Amino acid sequence: MGRNFFHLHLVSDSTGETLITVARAATALYAGISPIEHVYPLVRNERQLDRVILDIENEPGIVLYTMVDQELAARLQRACEEQGCPSLSVLEPVHNLFQSYLGVVTTPKAGAQHMLNAEYFRRIDALNFTMMHDDGQLTENLDQADVVLVGVSRTSKTPTSIYLANRGIKTANVPLVPNVPLPPNIETLVKPLIVGLVASPERIVQIRQNRMLALAADGKDSTYIDRQAVTEEIAQARRLFDRNNWPVIDVTRRSIEETAAAIIDLYRTHRLGLVAQ
């Protein structure tokens, strides 16, 4: 069965991240239908909007937008109406709800959520830490981490770490490699939350095989993709996690976002426990 496609125009006076997230969450609910995305970030003047409107005229479809400048937003909406394209200001219903509840007037500013405030620099600091502590690097100062991820190869430790860092969480990750001892300090850490990541042997073998193909590896290390050997790796990992009472997340059918959300929930509980002590 073939897929159906439609044009989806995402117009923003900022980075467009909000629109992309909302649009993809919505389109994921429609099986067999895929959007052809047209993303227009940093649209803040008439000339930039002219190009957007021309593209919409040439390839009509759904238009989602977030624009602080009401004159630009109104012009875009009029153009959509003239072309018969459905359009929606994605944040307007949210702003209206906030305003009706809070009873205060907004102070519109394009890209306000990306201001260089303390939260922004906290995220940058977390990202720098995470990149320096990827794949078992600099294990002597793991006590400075907020979260430490432990797991066998191909359990999405690095991408999950980077996602958490973008949420301001300093994350280190340590691989479990057969016959290679763990850093001696990891089992005595108190401040960081340590989380074990596992996946099904079938999933691990599949990802490792794909990686070897991508790297044009010759496959001499057959144990790396041997199902029995991988099963034993995962069993040893689980025994380690159980011995240390570390929470375990099975990433077999989880996206990076879902895994990170579960870790963030565990991290909140962990921090409360540290405060209580």
Side-chain angles (χ1 to χ4, degrees):
M1 188 176 84
R3 297 188 69 83
N4 293 318
F5 295 89
F6 69 98
H7 292 284
L8 177 60
H9 299 270
L10 307 175
V11 189
S12 174
D13 54 14
S14 185
T15 63
E17 293 175 14
T18 300
L19 282 174
I20 292 170
T21 301
V22 171
R24 290 181 181 174
T27 54
L29 301 176
Y30 296 90
I33 303 177
S34 297
I36 300 172
E37 289 184 356
H38 306 267
V39 183
Y40 310 92
L42 303 175
V43 177
R44 297 180 179 178
N45 59 48
E46 294 283 349
R47 183 178 56 82
Q48 293 166 333
L49 187 58
D50 287 341
R51 181 175 66 86
V52 173
I53 292 174
L54 181 61
D55 284 355
I56 294 171
E57 290 174 352
N58 291 333
E59 296 175 307
I62 295 175
V63 179
L64 302 180
Y65 63 93
T66 54
M67 304 185 77
V68 168
D69 188 313
Q70 293 302 303
E71 290 186 5
L72 291 179
R75 184 177 168 221
L76 175 61
Q77 192 167 2
R78 284 195 304 271
C80 291
E81 290 171 356
E82 291 171 1
Q83 293 298 318
C85 295
S87 63
L88 176 68
S89 173
V90 169
L91 291 179
E92 188 173 352
V94 180
H95 288 322
N96 291 341
L97 177 65
F98 271 55
Q99 189 167 337
S100 65
Y101 182 79
L102 298 174
V104 278
V105 178
T106 60
T107 51
K109 184 175 183 180
Q113 71 271 36
H114 301 295
M115 289 178 63
L116 304 185
N117 54 19
E119 174 64 20
Y120 174 84
F121 288 107
R122 186 170 73 89
R123 285 166 41 216
I124 295 300
D125 187 38
L127 188 57
N128 287 335
F129 179 93
T130 297
M131 297 305 294
M132 292 173 63
H133 294 78
D134 181 42
D135 201 29
Q137 300 181 78
L138 300 179
T139 55
E140 63 275 8
N141 57 8
L142 287 176
D143 59 319
Q144 298 176 19
D146 297 317
V147 171
V148 178
L149 304 182
V150 182
V152 302
S153 172
R154 305 299 107 193
T155 48
S156 303
K157 296 184 297 298
T158 295
T160 303
S161 297
I162 293 172
Y163 187 96
L164 291 169
N166 276 300
R167 298 291 296 273
I169 298 173
K170 292 181 179 179
T171 309
N173 73 79
V174 177
L176 294 177
V177 181
N179 303 317
V180 176
L182 277 172
N185 61 336
I186 194 168
E187 296 187 58
T188 60
L189 294 174
V190 175
K191 174 183 172 288
L193 166 70
I194 304 177
V195 179
L197 301 182
V198 298
S200 70
E202 295 79 11
R203 179 61 175 160
I204 295 294
V205 169
Q206 179 188 35
I207 297 174
R208 289 182 179 182
Q209 287 175 333
N210 290 339
R211 178 168 175 77
M212 290 181 71
L213 286 172
L215 296 176
D218 57 15
K220 288 180 180 178
D221 186 9
S222 60
T223 59
Y224 184 68
I225 55 174
D226 178 75
R227 190 185 185 285
Q228 185 173 348
V230 172
T231 300
E232 179 56 29
E233 276 189 66
I234 296 169
Q236 289 180 6
R238 285 189 177 275
R239 287 194 289 270
L240 170 70
F241 303 154
D242 289 343
R243 185 171 71 246
N244 289 281
N245 199 30
W246 294 338
V248 179
I249 297 176
D250 189 329
V251 303
T252 304
R253 294 180 177 84
R254 288 179 185 259
S255 66
I256 299 301
E257 294 84 356
E258 290 172 323
T259 300
I263 293 170
I264 291 169
D265 192 46
L266 289 168
Y267 178 58
R268 290 195 190 102
T269 303
H270 178 74
R271 281 197 305 175
L272 289 174
L274 291 177
V275 171
Q277 292 176 5

